């Protein structure tokens, strides 16, 4: 889906946040440069593409190739330290795979966009109330059926911290289908707090999946910008699981693949496109044509 005009405040606020994180001098000069870029931006592109291009501009100006590095490391460690407790809760449920799917969706609340940023207390409250939480769209039964029959799964990760819950889901997927081959896709370069190869290896994703960079700096998965290697794996996969809003934004028009979106709708743009309220938990299947 192409960028919605309502996404522009998120772009501007992200610029301000990176300026704060990096403590860059001459912020007015940075803002002028960013606004010059916005003045010629192609509004036929997706929001994830434009965020990626904006973030590259910010990295160049601030001379910081990874402004969110410390934040990513902090939240990866925090949720990795909690993983044993969370895994016990998942394993004690009546349907561990279904429970792991739900936990992974809830983890998508972790976000560092200044407009819909969530405090850690909010995330923990969701986990405490998990038995009472319902998915607004729940096609997890279809997903589990496809996982059971699947041969190759491509799992597209999203944010830092969140990937620790993705790891728990990957483990349950392997328990459910020992023979399924899993690839875990990450961003090609640091972009906001999205996970890159180093994050995936640091939390141990490689215990259950082959980690692959998509070769691109966009926030989501813009297929035409990804590497040939990544495109080949995408093409060969009989199931794709896409985490988060950015992956939904960049892949929502793809109809050539059995694709499942796991996410929380954090803004009205995505909520309205899916047809649910803001704050909804979603497991949505995109049917092949």
């Amino acid at each position: 889906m192409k960028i919605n005009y309502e996404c522009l405040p998120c772009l501007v606020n992200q610029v301000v946040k990176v300026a704060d994180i990096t403590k860059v001098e001459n912020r007015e000069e940075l803002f002028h440069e960013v606004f010059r870029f916005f003045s010629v931006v192609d509004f036929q592109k997706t929001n994830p593409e434009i965020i990626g291009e904006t973030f590259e501009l910010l990295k160049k100006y601030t001379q910081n190739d990874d402004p969110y590095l410390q934040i990513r490391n902090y939240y990866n460690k925090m949720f990795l330290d909690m993983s044993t407790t969370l895994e016990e809760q998942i394993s004690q449920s009546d349907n561990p795979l279904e429970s792991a799917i739900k936990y992974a969706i809830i983890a998508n609340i972790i976000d560092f966009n200044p407009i819909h940023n969530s405090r850690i207390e909010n995330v923990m409250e969701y986990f405490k109330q998990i038995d009472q939480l319902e998915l607004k769209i729940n096609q997890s039964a279809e997903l589990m059926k496809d996982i059971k029959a699947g041969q190759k799964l491509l799992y597209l990760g999203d944010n830092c911290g969140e990937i620790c819950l993705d790891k728990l889901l990957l483990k349950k997927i392997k328990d459910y289908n020992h023979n399924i081959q899993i690839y875990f896709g990450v961003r090609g370069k640091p972009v906001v707090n999205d996970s890159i190869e180093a994050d995936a290896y640091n939390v141990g994703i490689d215990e259950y999946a082959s980690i692959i960079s998509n070769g691109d700096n966009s926030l989501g998965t813009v297929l035409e910008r990804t590497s040939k290697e990544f495109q080949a794996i995408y093409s060969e996969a009989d199931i794709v699981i896409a985490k988060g809003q950015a992956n939904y934004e960049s892949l929502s028009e793809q109809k050539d693949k059995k694709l499942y979106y796991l996410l929380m709708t954090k803004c009205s743009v995505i909520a309205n496109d899916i047809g649910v309220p803001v704050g909804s938990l979603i497991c949505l299947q995109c049917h092949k044509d």
Side-chain angles (χ1 to χ4, degrees):
M1 55 185 292
K2 67 181 182 180
I3 188 171
N4 188 293
Y5 302 142
E6 292 180 33
C7 299
L8 294 176
C10 294
L11 280 167
V12 174
N13 277 276
Q14 191 58 247
V15 172
V16 175
K17 181 162 186 175
V18 171
D20 288 340
I21 290 172
T22 58
K23 297 179 172 57
V24 66
E25 297 180 359
N26 300 320
R27 295 187 186 189
E28 292 85 357
E29 183 179 318
L30 168 61
F31 298 151
H32 283 147
E33 187 164 342
V34 170
F35 288 136
R36 279 193 291 271
F37 167 71
F38 287 162
S39 72
V40 294
V41 75
D42 182 358
F43 286 102
Q44 297 305 306
K45 290 184 176 180
T46 64
N47 187 45
E49 286 180 271
I50 296 172
I51 290 179
E53 292 170 359
T54 305
F55 207 71
E56 285 300 306
L57 187 158
L58 292 172
K59 289 192 288 187
K60 181 178 180 181
Y61 187 91
T62 61
Q63 297 184 335
N64 186 329
D65 288 335
D66 196 352
Y68 280 83
L69 175 61
Q70 290 184 325
I71 293 173
R72 289 206 321 275
N73 289 342
Y74 177 83
Y75 280 91
N76 284 338
K77 184 179 185 307
M78 175 186 291
F79 281 91
L80 197 59
D81 290 345
M82 297 186 332
S83 291
T84 300
T85 300
L86 295 172
E87 184 176 3
E88 288 175 356
Q89 294 172 5
I90 290 170
S91 298
Q92 290 168 5
S93 67
D94 294 335
N95 189 326
L97 179 55
E98 184 178 38
S99 181
I101 291 170
K102 196 171 183 181
Y103 272 78
I105 294 171
I106 290 172
N108 186 238
I109 192 177
I110 301 168
D111 201 302
F112 296 92
N113 184 301
I115 288 183
H116 41 76
N117 188 14
S118 299
R119 291 165 37 191
I120 189 62
E121 294 86 354
N122 302 131
V123 181
M124 302 316 299
E125 194 61 32
Y126 270 92
F127 285 129
K128 290 178 184 177
Q129 298 177 9
I130 191 164
D131 291 337
Q132 288 75 47
L133 293 175
E134 298 291 337
L135 303 187
K136 194 68 176 178
I137 298 177
N138 186 0
Q139 296 180 320
S140 56
E142 292 90 338
L143 174 55
M144 289 188 289
K145 181 180 178 181
D146 285 332
I147 287 171
K148 192 66 174 178
Q151 296 181 352
K152 182 176 288 188
L153 165 66
L154 174 59
Y155 192 113
L156 304 177
D158 192 26
N159 295 329
C160 65
E162 176 181 352
I163 61 171
C164 298
L165 280 296
D166 295 329
K167 178 185 174 182
L168 297 182
L169 175 51
L170 294 174
K171 183 176 181 179
K172 295 305 177 187
I173 289 173
K174 291 294 286 187
D175 288 343
Y176 198 65
N177 180 350
H178 299 293
N179 297 318
I180 194 167
Q181 184 178 14
I182 305 176
Y183 290 89
F184 188 82
V186 295
R187 310 298 187 254
K189 292 182 180 180
V191 51
V192 194
N193 65 305
D194 280 18
S195 299
I196 57 175
E197 283 183 289
D199 299 308
Y201 281 109
N202 286 342
V203 305
I205 292 287
D206 55 316
E207 294 178 41
Y208 309 106
S210 299
I211 298 166
I212 179 169
S213 163
N214 68 14
D216 185 35
N217 62 355
S218 299
L219 198 65
T221 306
V222 184
L223 284 175
E224 61 268 24
R225 293 172 57 114
T226 59
S227 68
K228 296 298 182 183
E229 179 187 9
F230 181 87
Q231 290 175 17
I233 291 173
Y234 179 90
S235 177
E236 294 165 3
D238 45 12
I239 312 166
V240 177
I241 294 176
K243 288 294 296 294
Q245 291 196 148
N247 276 322
Y248 177 83
E249 288 177 271
S250 51
L251 292 170
S252 60
E253 296 179 12
Q254 296 294 321
K255 303 297 183 183
D256 63 337
K257 184 67 60 179
K258 187 172 287 186
L259 201 157
Y260 288 86
Y261 298 103
L262 306 183
L263 58 95
M264 170 182 276
T265 54
K266 303 168 192 169
C267 71
S268 60
V269 172
I270 304 302
N272 291 341
D273 195 73
I274 295 175
V276 296
V278 173
S280 297
L281 304 174
I282 302 295
C283 175
L284 171 66
Q285 180 185 6
C286 172
H287 292 277
K288 293 172 65 177
D289 285 341

